[in-house]
Structure formats: C-alpha cells, structure tokens
C-alpha cells in the first residue's frame, strides 16, 4: 500500500513537473540556508565544552560602573590567585594568566606573531587540554619552561619530537613589555588546542620566567597582572562561589590590597565565557546577539520555503477536487487521501534534501569566508548530523504538506463531482496571509541591510579629528633598532614628509589607563579620573595634523617636557573640570596633576580625535613623551608614524623596506596604514552587512519562486476570462493591472507590517555606536520599494505573457 502511495505521488509530480520543480528548488534553498546557519550555531555553542567537568570551571573578572556604563576586566594583581587558593575553600585549583603576541626563534628560524600566554604552574589543574607529549604535571613549575600547542610544535619542529628542545622568546614584546632581551625556553610538553577553545595559544610559558616573587602577598604592583580561572570542588555551585568571593572581597582581599572599597568580582562559567564581556569577540564570532540573529534568519528562510509549498499546494487544490471526489466515491477514506498527499510532500522534501546537501557542500568554502569559520564537509557528513538534517527536511515537508492534505481529504464527493467547487477552508485567505508573511521577512532583511550600509558609510566618511591620509605605522623591534635611529633613517627618504616615534598609532592603540588626581584636592578626598596614556615625541601632532585648542604641543628643546609636560584632549579637560560647555578653555594650561608621574603640568589641549572606534565615545586621554618612573623598563615608543607624500605607493613601500633592511636585516618589516586600522575596526559590521545581504537575497529568491508559481497558476486559472476581456476590448495594461494588483497589495501590507519592526531592530543595533547615522523613513521606504519592484517584475512578466495570448486560443482553452 505504501509503495502504491509513492508511485501515484511520483506520477502526480511528473504530471505537474513545473510546480514540483519550484517546490523542490525553493525548499532546497531554504533547507541549505538552515543547515549552514545551524552548523554555524552548533559550532559556536560547542566552545570550551571539551574540558572534563567543565561545569566546575569559572572565569573570575571584575566589573565597575562608569558614566558610559559597566566596564569589565580580567586583569588581577599577582597575589589574587594565591589569596583565592588560601582563603576560598570552595576553590580546588586556580590559575592566573596573561597573553600577547611575540616573535619566536627556533634554530635560527623566526616566527612572528606567535600567541604566548604566561601561566601559573596549576594551569593544567584547571584546564584539560588533550595531552600529546611530555609531562604536564611538572611542565610549568620552574622558570624558562614552555608547553607548545601541537599546531605550533609542527610549525617549529616538523615531525621531530619537540620535548626537550629550545625555543627563544623575545620577552620585550607585548602589552606588558619587559626588558629588551631574549629568553631561551625548554619545551616540556605538547598539548592539542581544539578549534573550539576560547583559550588559545601557540606556547605557554611558566609565569616564573618573568621573575618576581609570585606568591609574595605584597607584590601588588608587578606588571604581570592577568586573568584568573578557577576550578571548583565537585558539587560547589556558582551561587556558592559568588557568595565566597563576596566574603573574600570585603575581607582579606580589601585589607591586604589597601583598598578603600571592595572589588566587585564577576563570575562567568567557562561554558559561557566565549560569549561573555570578558572574552574579546573576533568579528561576529563569540557574540550571542549575532548567534540569535543568525538562528532567527535560518528559521525565517526555511519558513519562507515551507510557506511556498503550502501556498502552491493549496492553490492547486481546486484542480484536484474532482480527483478527490472520484477517489472517495470508489471507497477511499479521509486517512488514505491524506496519506496520498503527504506522500507527495515526502517525495518533494526528500528530493529537496538531496539537493540541499549538494548546495551546502558547494557553498561551504564561500560560507567559511563570509563568516570567518573553518567548517568542513566532514562536519556535515559525520556523526548524527546528516540523519538529523534528513529528519528535519522530512519534517519540514510534512509540515508544508499537512494543511493542503487535510483540506483536500475532507471534501465531500457528491458536492465536488456535481460542481467541481474549490475546497472549503479559506485557502485563498491563508495564501494571502502566507505571502504577506514571506515578504514581511524579506522587507525586514532589506531594511537591516540598508541600515548597516548607511552606518558604514557614516563611519567611513566621518571626520576622525586628524589627517590619516598616507600615514604609515611601522612596528619597531626594540632588540633590532632604536626609534631614534629608525626615524632618522626614514626621514632621509624624499617621500617621507614627517615622522614621529610613538607607542600609540590611532586605530591600533591598546595603551593603558592611569588614574590622575588634581592639584589642590584634599588628601582624604582626591578626585580620580581614568585617562588613556599616549606616549609620543614632539612630532606626533604634526604627523597626524592635530589641532591645538590652547597652549602648545610637546617640545624636545624644553628640558622639563621630557618628564613633566602633558597635553590633554578636550575630553580630559572636560572630565577634569577645566572646560566650559563643550570647549576646553585656557584655564587648563599650567594646571598640575599626578598622572603617570608626580607634578605633571598641562602645557596644551588638542581637539578631540578618534584614536579608537566610533562604537565608543572619545575618552579622556593625555599625550606625554614617556614614562619617567625608573622602575618602568619597557619601551615608551614601539613604533613610528610616517607621513608620506607619494603618487607611487608600491615603489615607495619597496624603497622603505630596503631602508629597513639596512637597519634591522633580521627583523620583519611590519607596516599598516592608519586608515587600514579603521577599516579593520568595522570588519564585523561589513561582514554582517554582507551576510544579511546574501540571506536577504536568498529569502527574496525563495519568495519570488513562490510568486512565480502563484502568478502562473492565477494566469492559468483565468485564461478564458482573459480571452473574454480581450474580445470585449480590454487593453494589455488593464489585464496587467488585473493580474498583478492582488500581489502588489499583499507586498504593501507586508511592508506596513514589517517596516516598524525592522526600523526598531536597526535602531537597537545602532545603539552599539556612540556616533551613528540617522536611519530615517527614506531608508525604510527604499527597502520597501525594492521588494515591491521585485514582486512586480516577477508577477508582471507572467502577467504580460498571459495578456499577450491570442484571445482565440484563450477561448478554446480547456
């Protein structure tokens, strides 16, 4: 019996090959979109879940409130983890770590931008990275020991056993600096770093390598502060751990750190760390908002495909009522008829599934490039993924075919055979609702794309407050060349107009915060302000074209400028109370502040400029020559800014590289134009716009497939009516209006439904920018007009064909 159902279903589909093809193609595209986005979501949710008993591992950070909102940090002073281990019984193991990218040398070969993490010896008591070689129990117990990732081990040593071999680390590199020296490290072990780990590294280095008494509870000011991770004893809950941390913060921690207020510790389960504010998200990855967005898009595109099937099936129901009547008259029951029509739905969904798998496999390389992932066909075909996808496809087919099957199966045979009437149940009304739903989704996606494009144009054309045109940032290796020597050499090139040694390139500034307190404040009530520190020489303002509001810039010929002079931006002047309204006033000049060094004097104020992203407001910042404190050993100036004036950038860059080779032949020539830094800041927005554009296009494609089927069916049903109208003198234009007006009306309704919600969604996304474009009614109307135009093109083409039909042939139809 089942075989007969499928044979009859196959014959029916072959007889209606055009509509079957539309259904299969639309459902396949919808399924492919759903499968791809579903694989992406599953991959994101899998992060960090490979560790044993991962539910007991937590990241410990801090949070504090500012005028701009809550700030989060994973930076803790050195005694923090030692104190946690001593005073929090709920903690089974705790580890502190911090990371940076560094150059590594192995047997004379140099490897740049290797990710190094300094970690305490208990690292592998907290984390369970798969063991490859060596002894993890003692791997990080002594100075100058390292553990490599398996990927780095293959890169450094090929197929040779790396355990016991030497890698040379430049410890002067990284945000925490250090003395300019190289350090030989012995490889003690190798571990595998899974692709789904948010804790990534090329090499782990014992934190004792950095020196200092790491268990000394008085070592609060060492520069090796870092993040903390704790593994709790079995059975300890997050709530219990948070209560213990509160007691710890208000008790021993506040007392020993000489703080006035307790630290607000924040706890994040490792399973949630990848999506938390403590983890630096790379583009769209590691951001729960986008995960929800892409999951929603996957469902919506699949829904559009399912709607197409339902629409076409209910539209054709009227033509199949006689078939239903005959079947019922010869004894077919309602259940048998429903199974017959569901068999057709299963055949369609099965064929759509096969085509979807082909589409997914073909689209994976482009999908990976678009989303920044590295999913493989093995992920699609391995394990239970493929059976689950097949079950989903068949379920979608059954869902799409359920309503038309029930509608057709409940027809009364005598009624149908006498009149050939259309099925009851309001199928025409349902079709209109479904078409509205389809185009509401497409309009919403188009509005989202338009809003993102408008914001990107805004940030790309905004005035950054400095001249970044042809400003090149050259990264310096302190072991290879001094900033002074490099600056003098590059200034000999005719294309280099100006040069400045600095530690802060606009758009690529990681910098540091430093507290400042004002002169004249009572000692028991100081006014503290957090400010960004920019170390630069006297040519910094000229290279970037910064505008002075008051006073002067740093001057190398004034001896006191080297240790005491400070130039503030307007935001700092306002924050410190030395401004009236929005403008800094000369009253700031001559003021003193304890900032980086005691008795620092304000010699000038520059206009605000964006040294960071437009996601954030311009924050208080100060510029000074360097850090005069004798205990600070890391370099102040780690790069050069070169202002170029050339018509042939390629030739100039080649000549500058040749100059570099004379200065530091063993160091790489690492350069980036400042405007490229700002382009990189908005790569996630650019990528999001492209993703929405692609899936909006696919949603429109699937929706238009449905319109093609409905428009063709409508024209076919009204062929004789069209012939009569033409014989009576109706024009082609009037017939076009007749056949397209219903579809136009439905798209307009869809726009009215979707536009307010889509505009609200765009405004929510724009709230992530401190400086934003105004997405108004014009943008929303343009998106609606685009959807309407596409609907008109699709339905109009079919209506034009029907309207041009010879009326004699139309009257002979049927």
């Amino acid at each position: 019996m089942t075989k007969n159902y499928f044979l009859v279903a196959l014959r029916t589909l072959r007889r209606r090959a055009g509509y079957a093809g539309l259904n299969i193609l639309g459902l396949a595209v919808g399924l492919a979109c759903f499968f791809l986005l579903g694989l992406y979501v599953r991959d994101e949710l899998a992060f960090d879940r490979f560790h044993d008993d991962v539910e007991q591992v937590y990241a410990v950070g801090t949070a504090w409130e500012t005028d701009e909102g809550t700030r989060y940090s994973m930076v803790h002073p050195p005694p923090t983890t030692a104190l946690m281990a001593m005073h929090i019984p709920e903690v089974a193991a705790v580890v502190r770590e911090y990371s940076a990218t560094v150059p590594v040398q192995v047997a004379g070969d140099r490897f740049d931008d290797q990710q190094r993490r300094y970690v305490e010896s208990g690292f592998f008591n907290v984390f369970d990275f798969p063991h490859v070689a060596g002894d993890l129990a003692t791997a990080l117990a002594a100075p100058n020991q390292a553990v490599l990732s398996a990927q780095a081990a293959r890169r450094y040593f090929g197929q040779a056993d790396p355990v016991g071999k030497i890698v040379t680390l430049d410890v002067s590199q990284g945000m925490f600096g250090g003395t300019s020296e190289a350090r030989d490290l012995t490889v003690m072990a190798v571990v595998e770093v899974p692709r789904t780990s948010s804790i990534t590294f090329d090499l782990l280095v014992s934190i004792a390598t950095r020196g200092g008494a790491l268990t000394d509870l008085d070592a609060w000011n060492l520069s090796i502060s870092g993040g903390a991770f704790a593994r709790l004893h079995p059975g300890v809950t997050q709530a219990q751990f948070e209560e213990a941390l509160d007691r710890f913060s208000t008790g021993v921690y506040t007392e020993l750190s000489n703080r006035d207020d307790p630290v607000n510790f924040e706890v994040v389960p490792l399973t949630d760390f990848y999506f938390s504010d403590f983890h630096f998200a790379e583009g769209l990855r590691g951001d729960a908002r986008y995960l929800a967005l892409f999951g929603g898009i996957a469902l919506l595109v699949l829904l559009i495909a399912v709607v197409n099937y339902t629409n076409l099936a209910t539209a054709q129901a009227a033509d199949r009522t006689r078939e239903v009547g005959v079947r019922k008259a010869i004894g077919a029951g309602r259940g048998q008829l429903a199974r017959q029509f569901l068999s057709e739905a299963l055949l369609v969904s099965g064929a759509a599934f096969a085509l979807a798998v082909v589409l997914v496999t073909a689209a994976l390389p482009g999908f990976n490039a678009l989303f920044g992932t590295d999913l493989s066909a093995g992920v699609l075909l391995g394990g239970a993924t493929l059976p689950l996808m097949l079950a989903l496809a068949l379920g979608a087919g059954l869902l799409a075919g359920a309503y038309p099957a029930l509608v057709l199966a409940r027809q009364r045979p005598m009624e149908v055979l006498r009149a050939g009437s259309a099925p009851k149940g309001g199928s025409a009304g349902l079709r209109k609702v479904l078409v509205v739903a389809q185009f509401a989704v497409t309009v919403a996606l188009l509005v989202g794309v338009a809003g993102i494009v408008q914001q990107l144009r805004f940030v790309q054309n905004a005035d950054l407050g400095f001249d970044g045109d042809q400003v090149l940032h050259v990264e310096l290796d302190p072991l290879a060349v001094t900033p002074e020597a490099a600056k003098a050499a590059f200034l000999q090139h005719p294309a280099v107009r100006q040069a400045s040694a600095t530690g802060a390139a606009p758009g690529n500034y990681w910098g540091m915060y430093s507290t400042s307190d004002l002169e004249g404040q009572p000692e028991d009530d100081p006014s503290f302000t957090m400010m960004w520190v920019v170390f630069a020489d006297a040519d910094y303002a000229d290279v970037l074209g910064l505008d002075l509001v008051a006073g002067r810039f740093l001057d190398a010929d004034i001896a006191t400028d080297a240790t005491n002079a400070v130039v503030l931006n307007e935001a700092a002047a306002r924050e410190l109370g030395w401004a009236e309204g929005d403008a800094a006033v000369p009253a700031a000049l001559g003021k003193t502040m304890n900032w980086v060094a005691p008795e620092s004097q304000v010699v000038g104020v520059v206009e605000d400029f964006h040294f960071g992203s437009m996601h954030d407001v311009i924050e208080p910042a100060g510029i000074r020559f360097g850090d005069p404190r004798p205990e600070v050993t890391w370099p102040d100036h780690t790069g050069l800014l070169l202002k170029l004036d050339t018509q042939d950038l390629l030739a100039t860059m080649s000549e500058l590289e040749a100059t570099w080779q004379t200065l530091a032949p063993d160091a790489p020539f690492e350069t980036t134009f400042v405007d490229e830094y700002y382009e990189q800041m908005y790569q996630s927005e650019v990528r999001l716009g492209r993703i929405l554009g692609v899936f909006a296009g696919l949603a429109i494609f699937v929706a238009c497939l449905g319109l093609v089927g409905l428009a063709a069916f409508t024209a076919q049903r009204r062929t004789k009516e069209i012939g009569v109208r033409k014989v009576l003198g109706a024009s082609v234009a009037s017939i076009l209006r007749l056949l397209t007006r219903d579809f136009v009306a439905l798209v307009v309704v869809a726009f009215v439904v979707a536009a307010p919600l889509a505009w609200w969604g765009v405004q929510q996304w724009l709230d992530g920018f401190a400086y934003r474009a105004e997405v108004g009614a014009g943008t929303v109307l343009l998106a609606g007009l685009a959807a309407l135009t596409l609907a008109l093109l699709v339905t109009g083409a079919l209506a034009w064909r029907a309207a041009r039909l010879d009326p004699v042939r139309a009257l002979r139809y049927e």
Side-chain angles (χ1 to χ4, degrees), residues 769-788:
F769 290 84
Y771 306 91
R772 48 184 281 182
E774 291 300 325
V775 178
T779 302
V780 179
L781 288 172
L782 187 63
L785 183 62
L788 181 60

Side-chain angles (χ1 to χ4, degrees), residues 461-477:
N461 298 320
D463 181 8
L464 297 175
F466 67 90
D467 180 12
D469 184 43
Q470 288 198 10
V471 175
L472 182 70
H473 180 221
V474 181
E475 295 185 31
L476 299 179
D477 184 343

Side-chain angles (χ1 to χ4, degrees), residues 233-245:
H233 287 292
V236 177
T237 66
Q238 180 176 343
Q240 291 171 330
F241 185 36
E242 289 172 339
E243 290 176 5
L245 275 174

Side-chain angles (χ1 to χ4, degrees), residues 94-108:
V94 61
V95 66
R96 181 167 47 88
E97 60 80 36
Y98 73 86
S99 66
T101 56
V102 296
V104 170
Q105 290 191 12
V106 180

Side-chain angles (χ1 to χ4, degrees), residues 257-270:
S257 61
N258 295 317
R259 295 179 58 91
D260 295 326
D261 300 310
V263 173
N264 180 23
F265 286 107
E266 290 281 328
V267 170
V268 176
L270 186 60

Side-chain angles (χ1 to χ4, degrees), residues 427-550:
S427 59
L430 175 66
R431 287 198 299 276
K432 291 178 180 179
V433 171
L434 295 179
V435 169
V436 168
Q438 281 182 312
F439 274 88
V441 172
T442 57
V443 167
L445 290 173
L446 286 173
V447 171
V449 172
I452 291 172
V453 169
Q454 192 167 339
Q455 176 64 14
L456 286 176
R457 287 179 180 171
F458 175 81
V459 298
Q460 289 165 353
N461 298 320
D463 181 8
L464 297 175
F466 67 90
D467 180 12
D469 184 43
Q470 288 198 10
V471 175
L472 182 70
H473 180 221
V474 181
E475 295 185 31
L476 299 179
D477 184 343
L479 295 178
V481 62
T482 65
E484 294 76 17
K487 179 178 178 181
F490 283 123
L491 281 173
Q492 299 302 311
H493 194 284
V496 180
R497 278 175 33 196
Q498 296 164 310
S500 172
T502 179
N508 187 39
Y509 179 49
W510 290 91
M512 66 177 182
Y513 264 144
S514 183
T515 59
S516 65
D517 62 277
L518 311 183
E519 62 175 347
Q521 293 291 331
E523 291 186 2
D524 59 347
D525 185 26
S527 175
F528 287 104
T529 298
M530 297 297 288
M531 291 173 51
W532 286 104
V533 183
V534 178
F535 293 137
D537 66 15
D539 297 312
Y540 189 78
D542 291 335
V543 170
L544 292 177
L546 302 181
D547 293 323
L548 276 168
V549 175

Side-chain angles (χ1 to χ4, degrees), residues 110-277:
R110 182 184 175 102
F111 301 88
D112 292 303
D113 298 327
Q114 303 300 288
Q115 188 177 22
R116 171 218 64 196
R117 287 183 184 267
Y118 280 121
V119 299
E120 292 176 326
S121 58
F123 185 83
F124 293 108
N125 295 329
V126 175
F127 298 107
D128 294 298
F129 287 94
H131 174 250
V132 175
D135 182 7
L136 295 181
T138 59
L140 299 168
N144 303 322
Q145 292 183 340
V147 174
L148 300 184
S149 71
Q151 298 87 331
R154 288 191 293 270
R155 192 161 55 246
Y156 301 159
F157 301 103
Q159 298 304 314
D161 182 6
V163 176
K165 299 231 175 10
I166 301 297
V167 298
T168 301
L169 182 71
D170 178 1
V171 298
S172 68
Q173 302 296 299
M175 71 172 68
F176 293 99
T179 57
S180 295
E181 60 178 285
R183 190 70 60 89
D184 288 339
L185 307 174
T186 302
V187 178
M188 305 299 293
V190 179
V191 296
E192 188 75 37
V193 180
R195 186 177 56 82
T196 54
S197 175
S198 60
I199 311 295
T200 59
F201 52 87
D202 293 304
L203 66 165
L204 300 174
V205 182
S206 59
I207 204 167
T209 304
R210 290 289 286 113
L214 299 179
T215 58
D216 184 353
L217 300 185
D218 294 324
W220 294 95
N221 295 318
L222 288 180
S223 64
I224 46 178
S225 301
F229 293 86
R231 177 177 286 275
L232 308 184
H233 287 292
V236 177
T237 66
Q238 180 176 343
Q240 291 171 330
F241 185 36
E242 289 172 339
E243 290 176 5
L245 275 174
D246 288 340
R247 294 192 299 270
F248 170 71
S249 174
T250 56
V252 64
Y253 191 81
T254 299
E255 179 183 347
L256 292 178
S257 61
N258 295 317
R259 295 179 58 91
D260 295 326
D261 300 310
V263 173
N264 180 23
F265 286 107
E266 290 281 328
V267 170
V268 176
L270 186 60
T271 51
D272 298 334
F273 178 70
Y274 181 65
F275 299 105
S276 73
D277 292 304

Side-chain angles (χ1 to χ4, degrees), residues 402-424:
Y403 179 79
L406 293 175
V407 168
L408 291 169
R410 71 183 182 187
Q411 302 304 303
R412 296 178 180 177
M414 295 303 295
E415 202 174 280
V416 170
L417 290 173
R418 286 175 181 170
S421 59
K424 298 178 182 178

